[in-house]
Structure formats: structure tokens, C-alpha cells
Amino acid sequence: MTAPSLTSDSLGWRFDHSSARLPAPLFRKVAPTPVREPQMVIFNGPLATHLGLDAGLSDRPDLLSGNALPSNAEPIAQAYAGHQYAHFTMLGDGRAILLGEQITPEGLRFDVQLKGPGLTPFSRRGDGRAALGPMLREYIISEAMHALGIPTTRSLAVVATGETVYRQEPLPGAVLTRIAASHLRVGTFEWAAARGEMELLRALTDYTLKRHFAERASTDNPALALLEAVVERQASLIARWIHVGFIHGVMNTDNMALSGETIDYGPCAFMDAFDPETVFSSIDQHGRYAYGQQPHIAQWNLARFAEALLPLLDEDEQRSIEIANDAVRAFQPQFQEHWLAGMRSKLGLFNAEPEDTALMQGLLEWMRATSADYTLTFRRLSTESLAEEPLASGPEFQSWHQGWTARRGRQPQTLSESAALMRRSNPAVIPRNHQVEAALQAASERSDLAPLHRLLEALAKPFDDSPAHLDYAQPPAHHDGSYRTFCGT
Ligand code: AMP
Ligand code: MG
């Protein structure tokens, strides 16, 4: 998409509104509902700069709560559907409003969306609002993912509303400003397909290709080009989640962004002790979205995306199905390749050997049997400190360690080059559940933001062994298998 010529207002807003030029049923115009007493809780200065926004915006909670709008905003709520726990529903932005697409000084385009701005035509039975704790949680984890180098939506600010929202209990309300490459989801296409309007599907396909995959836009089969591109981005994204122990928690098709960014931080969490069956979400009773299920679920979601595109893939229905199947099947080998490449880096390996998968499986099996901490195991391997620990004294680990040492010895790079690769591939600091909870509690219950800022500082440099942040590199005191997360609605 080419950047339009825009004028900038005094705070640097340079909005375009390509989403509002899509066919009308895909969005509704709706203004945010003002809140009683907007107060800035946290503002992301570096992100504002990247977006070309003025630092003075940090003193304008009215603009980041919906009480006032940038002069060139055109607020809309977007339509989408979704398979939630495999059940299809027509949804839409029930508690989110897009203000516009900020064109950055580098010419990049980002959606600026308020999350929790009040009722929209898609609110159904909800109140359109959000609570402070979950919005700060999204801020923390999305910014941590960004620092880890994982594609993600980002958080520009959280503004407290001075109002109470009622969930199981009364909670302080807040609005998050979410920055995203776009909010196009698998569910956006499901919504268009469910209405059976080919023109909508066609318009969406062209738009998405141009916005996210411009290099593939000149093709005689745009739907296939889009499907293949989205499959590739997801294969890479999910591998990255797996590498850092991230569990999204609610991989419904409406929460899968076509841009390949991680989106919708609800019940997500990072795994401590390694176990592929790890689930934190209180409502995921059957482990549909467990850590180790994520590649499988991503592929399931991509099959729903392919289904939505079927009418465009080929005039012949049978042929469409074959094309779709082939494209979706490509996910598995692509994922495997990304997984393997990332695991090689995590183990300090520069080249490939046929036995590498077995080497990795050997380590993972040992970690599972001993409930070893996922992040710390790799970090301590990087610093050569794991082999001295009591946990690692058994024959299984020692024999694995010998095999690994021999493997590292067979590559041309030195051990110190290998260790350096490991240190930049294995974070020391991740948003540990107990640390995140402590920071959120201090912020929500005592209005004490110091722990939040300290945590964010540590998470901004996840590959550093900073003495000031040693406590954030520690796992919980006892194995935290009972930790539960909530959807944050
Ligand atoms: P989520 O769990 O955030 O992915 O949301 C799933 C769907 O429920 C989306 O359509 C949301 O817009 C809608 N939703 C979630 N919370 C609320 C709320 N408080 N008010 C209105 N709609 C909501
Ligand atoms: Mg969602």
C-alpha cells in the first residue's frame, strides 16, 4: 500500500483510513464513549517515537481514552467472525474502536485501536469496557514479546478511566491503545464467507495482499497467494512461541492475525516447568490450546481460513479443495523447519546434521521427566552452568550433555561463538507469571507503579544478565502448576 500524502497535526497524528474504504458491511462508524476521569497509567515513549507521535501525547489521557479524538480520526468498529473453541460465531469489535492507521515517518502503516472504549454495534451482551489489570497484562506481555523479537501487536498506553467495570467483582476500568500491523484476522474472512458475498471476499483478499504481502500482489490467483503467505507467517510465528515457551491460551480464529503478529493477549502465559500439556487458561478445560497443541491448532485455524477462501481459489469446487488442502498441509513441514532452525540456535549449533532432531528431543524428554524450568535450562546451558547442578547430575542428562558437546565440537565455529549464539537465542528474562501478578497487584490494588516499571525495564532486555534484574530470572519458589489465567473480558 502506498503512503498517502497526509498532514500531521501538532501531536504527530498522520492518519489514513484504508480500512474505512473497504465495502461498508465490514465496519461500522462508532465513536468512543467518554469516561469519567481519564488518567495516564503508562505511556510507551519509544513506541510513540517510532510511530512519529509527539512525546507530549503522554500528557493527553483524553486522547488515549476516547474522551477526545485526534482531529483526523475516523473511528470505526470492524466486523469479524470466529471459531471459538471450534464453535462458529459472528463477532466483531465489541470492545474496540479503530481510530485510524498511523503512517510513520518511515512510511509504515499501523492501526491505532482503543481497547475498552465503550459500546459498539458488535458489543452483544458485553459492556464494551476493559479492566485495568488485563490491559496492563497485555501491555507487559506484548512489549516482552516485542523485545524477544517475536512479531506482535504493541501497546502505546494504558489510561485508567476512573470508572468501575463489573466482572466477577468490581474492578477499575481502563483503555489500552493497541498498535497493530492490522486487525485483519482469519475471522474477518470467515465473516465475509458466512455472508456469502463474493465481492466482499474479493475486496478483502486484494486489500490484505496489498497491505501485508505487497510483493505477492501481482498474481493470477490472489486467494492462493494470500493463503500461502499467511500459512508461512503462521508457521514462523508459532515456532517462535514454542521456542520461548509462550502459550497464547485462546487461539480462536478471531485471535489469529493475518499479518503474522501475535494478537489478543488474554489468558496467555509463559511456561515455567517444561511440559507440552501445560495450560494456564481457566476455561481451557480440555487443553485444546495447551503449549504443545499450538502448531496443530494453528493449522486447524488455517484450514478455516482456506475454507473461507474456497470460492476464490478455483472455479471448480473440487479443484479448490485440493488447492486449499495442499496449501494448509504445507504448514507442518514449514513449522518443523522453523522449529529446527530455532532450536539449533538455542543449542548453539550453526550447521545441520541429520541427528539434530533426536538430540533436541533427548533434551526435551529429560526436561519433561525432571520438570526442569524451560527458560532456565536453555539459559544455563548457554552459560555452561547447568551441568554442575544437582538436577543435571543423573546419567540421562550427563549422556545427553556428552552427545551435545561432541556435536558442538563437529562444527567449525568455536565454543565461544556457539555460546554467544545461545546467549542471544535463549532469554534470561521472560514475563514470569508470579512476577507479572505481583506487578499487576501493586498497580491495581495499591496504585503503586514501581514494580510494573521495574519489570518492564527487565523485560525490555531479555537477553542481558543484568545484576539489577537477577530476581526476574528466577522461576517461582515452588512449581506453579496451579497458576490460572483469565480471559480478561
Ligand atoms: P476476546 O476474548 O477479547 O478475543 O473477545 C471475543 C469477542 O468478545 C470479541 O468479539 C470481543 O469484541 C467480544 N468482547 C469481549 N469482551 C467484551 C466486552 N466487555 N464487551 C463487549 N464485547 C466484548
Ligand atoms: Mg479477540
Side-chain angles (χ1 to χ4, degrees), residues 80 84 91 95 115 178 185 250 252 254-255 263-264:
Y80 55 86
Q84 302 182 302
L91 298 162
R95 55 154 176 175
K115 196 166 167 182
R178 174 159 71 182
R185 310 145 190 266
V250 60
N252 295 330
D254 51 306
N255 294 338
I263 193 170
D264 256 342

